[in-house]
Amino acid sequence: QVQLVETGGGLVQAGGSLRLSCVASGSFRSIQDMAWYRQTPRKQRELVARITRGGSRNHADSVKGRFTISRDNAKNAVYLQMNNLTPEDTAVYYCNAVVITAWGKTSESWGQGTQVTVSS
């Protein structure tokens, strides 16, 4: 079983920055892809950014040039640096990880979400 714990959300003014962190714990062999998603009451959950174990990453067009995903495999952690935030970035941000379990199976896990609110 894998637990993902996100930290770093909060309230920030437009143009400001936040850094989200997510740490995985539990029993697993390895973590494959890690990602950040976000969701608002009016929209379906959408992918913000994804990073492979080897460090290859992609970002949604809406955040390119402003957000950067990174990870630390030794710490089982993934980060999302968010700069030049706008009110449209207001959402609950979820950490996502695909792991190889102790039994060699692929499993997907989600964090509980962290609220990011950007005021105008």
Side-chain angles (χ1 to χ4, degrees):
Q1 195 169 7
V2 180
Q3 294 81 41
L4 301 176
V5 178
E6 302 115 329
T7 56
L11 174 64
V12 65
Q13 288 187 334
S17 299
L18 284 174
R19 186 176 189 246
L20 304 182
S21 300
C22 172
V23 178
S25 62
S27 178
F28 49 86
R29 289 186 186 178
S30 65
I31 303 175
Q32 303 305 298
D33 288 5
M34 300 187 83
W36 289 97
Y37 286 75
R38 66 186 181 186
Q39 187 170 20
T40 67
R42 296 183 178 182
K43 290 185 178 180
Q44 289 185 330
R45 192 172 294 188
E46 63 174 0
L47 176 66
V48 176
R50 180 186 302 279
I51 186 167
T52 68
R53 182 170 182 80
S56 296
R57 44 190 158 189
N58 64 280
H59 298 80
D61 288 343
S62 58
V63 306
K64 279 181 181 176
R66 301 187 299 120
F67 292 10
T68 302
I69 190 171
S70 61
R71 67 187 284 173
D72 185 332
N73 291 334
K75 296 181 179 179
N76 294 326
V78 63
Y79 310 99
L80 186 68
Q81 178 66 44
M82 305 185 293
N83 299 327
N84 195 20
L85 286 157
T86 73
E88 289 68 38
D89 296 315
T90 296
V92 178
Y93 285 70
Y94 295 90
C95 177
N96 172 274
V98 176
V99 306
I100 304 299
T101 70
W103 298 272
K105 302 291 185 181
T106 298
S107 176
E108 184 177 30
S109 295
W110 292 89
Q112 80 286 356
T114 185
Q115 176 71 46
V116 171
T117 303
V118 184
S119 63
S120 58

